[in-house]
Amino acid sequence: MGDKDKATIIVFSAEIDKVLAAFNIATGAAAMGMEVSMFFTFWGLNVVRKEKQTKGPRGILKKMFGILNRGGADRLKLSKFHMGGIGTWMMKILMRKSMMLSVKEMIGTARSLGVEMIACTTSMEFMGIDKEDLIDEVSRFAGVATYLAMAKESKINLFI
Amino acid sequence: MGDKDKATIIVFSAEIDKVLAAFNIATGAAAMGMEVSMFFTFWGLNVVRKEKQTKGPRGILKKMFGILNRGGADRLKLSKFHMGGIGTWMMKILMRKSMMLSVKEMIGTARSLGVEMIACTTSMEFMGIDKEDLIDEVSRFAGVATYLAMAKESKINLFI
Amino acid sequence: MGDKDKATIIVFSAEIDKVLAAFNIATGAAAMGMEVSMFFTFWGLNVVRKEKQTKGPRGILKKMFGILNRGGADRLKLSKFHMGGIGTWMMKILMRKSMMLSVKEMIGTARSLGVEMIACTTSMEFMGIDKEDLIDEVSRFAGVATYLAMAKESKINLFI
């Protein structure tokens, strides 16, 4: 299993504040020399979706769901104070002011630090998302068995 | 403590998407031979409540709370896109289409795989829920000390 | 590192129900002899903020954010059924009835049991919160590296 300490983070939520927390922990752990995996599942898949979908999902209901549930790191919302976009917009400006990296930049940093970004195949099928709909930083597509095998060996396990 | 790897999941939320994630992880871990405990607390108690309560809680405030906070696995809502029921209804159809098991079936699967379902006694008292209000799949009633004793020995701990 | 079992809890949310769950686990673990750290980050910082701020944050956007995002343990809301305050108010009465401790009392209990309460410096800077804005029970100010060093050695890690 290697001798590095491991951390595994399930990213279930797509709210920008929770996603930033997840990436802060992931990149921090990778910078400290840990082996870090982020497992994007359910709404969390939106974080690693391309803004433009190559083709829509099949079937009317999946299409409806797809319209409601648009992806892309720039579209993430705040878990509180969203207020029709004002809260999220305010936070994006605040973020820049505080020199914090945006989610997109965070994804790049995570990638360059060797954080493994995994997309949950069960959620992908369920939400009608194909491999080509996800950004290239996603290096692996796997289900719960893969997650569990990693989590069992991890010193830090979080569900965000 | 036995020599099986352990996983302990706190189910705090009652939103159907989070509950499904919890059961996916729990049944996956049990299928891999892990010893799995799910600890239902607070809103999570709604997942393991019978649809018909035998008797209501005592006291006006608890009664009011009981009316607002109705239980039963079929009444769970989505954490996003609920939209007065449409989002949840759409997801239930999508779930069927994707051959995913509903929460009720998940509870049965979890039970048959030996997942231990524990109800938090502190939350039960607080919310005015009696033992007979909970489904038979709940095998144990315990407080935070029991949770902690299990969690300490677990390789995977999650709060969902 | 000491030889006590450790538990580390990230308190990201400020909803009263989740905060109470976090303190229940933290004080329970401390009462069992574990070494417990609570890491307050993002909205969770509101739990450990004084009700009266000594001075407001600098800059218009931070000021706006500060007005929206007021702190203090008595101002926390419920994650469900808030209903303009009625749900939260009802729960506060219920809590008293059920002899559960309020968040403020929980903070005192946690402190007396030796639970370490840490404020996340990245979130503080981001939200324009100074050290003097936080209650005295906060014993340490630290970033993600400190969190990770503690979490790596902990038997129980939760993100709440």
Side-chain angles (χ1 to χ4, degrees), chain C:
Chain C
M1 299 278 157
D3 30 14
K4 276 189 181 183
D5 286 334
K6 290 175 181 59
T8 304
I9 300 170
I10 295 181
V11 184
F12 175 92
S13 307
E15 288 124 357
I16 197 172
D17 42 358
K18 291 194 176 171
V19 171
L20 284 175
F23 274 103
N24 260 319
I25 296 166
T27 54
M32 283 169 69
M34 294 182 81
E35 203 175 307
V36 185
S37 303
M38 298 176 88
F39 194 81
F40 294 90
T41 186
F42 232 94
W43 313 113
L45 279 177
N46 285 344
V47 180
V48 290
R49 270 167 81 182
K50 289 179 189 156
E51 261 148 80
K52 269 229 167 77
Q53 302 291 109
T54 44
K55 55 182 162 76
R58 300 141 304 268
I60 289 176
L61 275 161
K62 288 208 179 181
K63 256 194 228 309
M64 279 170 59
F65 198 73
I67 288 163
L68 284 168
N69 185 44
R70 293 166 75 195
D74 277 350
R75 287 221 191 81
L76 308 182
K77 290 179 183 140
L78 209 51
S79 69
K80 283 177 66 168
F81 305 142
H82 180 60
M83 304 179 296
I86 299 172
T88 305
W89 163 82
M90 212 162 77
M91 193 168 126
K92 278 186 182 161
I93 296 186
L94 268 177
M95 272 194 321
R96 210 157 301 161
K97 289 224 169 198
S98 300
M99 299 299 155
M100 274 184 69
L101 298 161
S102 76
V103 172
K104 267 195 172 170
E105 289 169 300
M106 282 289 219
I107 292 173
T109 307
R111 181 71 170 152
S112 69
L113 285 165
V115 172
E116 193 175 32
M117 284 174 263
I118 302 167
C120 170
T121 44
T122 311
S123 302
M124 285 171 64
E125 199 193 326
F126 174 61
M127 291 184 157
I129 296 171
D130 292 318
K131 286 188 186 183
E132 56 261 43
D133 296 330
L134 300 180
I135 58 174
D136 298 333
E137 283 83 353
V138 173
S139 55
R140 207 163 149 195
F141 304 89
V144 73
T146 302
Y147 162 72
L148 287 162
M150 296 187 309
K152 269 205 315 185
E153 307 301 327
S154 294
K155 295 219 166 178
I156 302 176
N157 276 307
L158 300 171
F159 182 97
I160 296 183

Side-chain angles (χ1 to χ4, degrees), chain B residues 85-154:
Chain B
I86 299 173
T88 304
W89 163 82
M90 213 162 76
M91 192 167 128
K92 278 187 182 162
I93 296 187
L94 268 178
M95 274 195 320
R96 211 158 300 161
K97 289 224 170 199
S98 300
M99 298 299 156
M100 274 184 68
L101 298 162
S102 75
V103 173
K104 268 194 171 170
E105 289 169 301
M106 283 288 220
I107 291 173
T109 307
R111 181 69 170 155
S112 69
L113 285 165
V115 172
E116 194 177 29
M117 284 174 262
I118 303 168
C120 170
T121 45
T122 312
S123 302
M124 285 170 64
E125 199 193 324
F126 174 62
M127 290 185 156
I129 296 171
D130 292 318
K131 287 188 186 183
E132 56 260 44
D133 296 329
L134 299 180
I135 58 175
D136 298 333
E137 283 84 353
V138 172
S139 55
R140 209 163 147 195
F141 304 90
V144 72
T146 302
Y147 162 72
L148 288 162
M150 296 186 310
K152 270 205 314 185
E153 307 300 328
S154 295

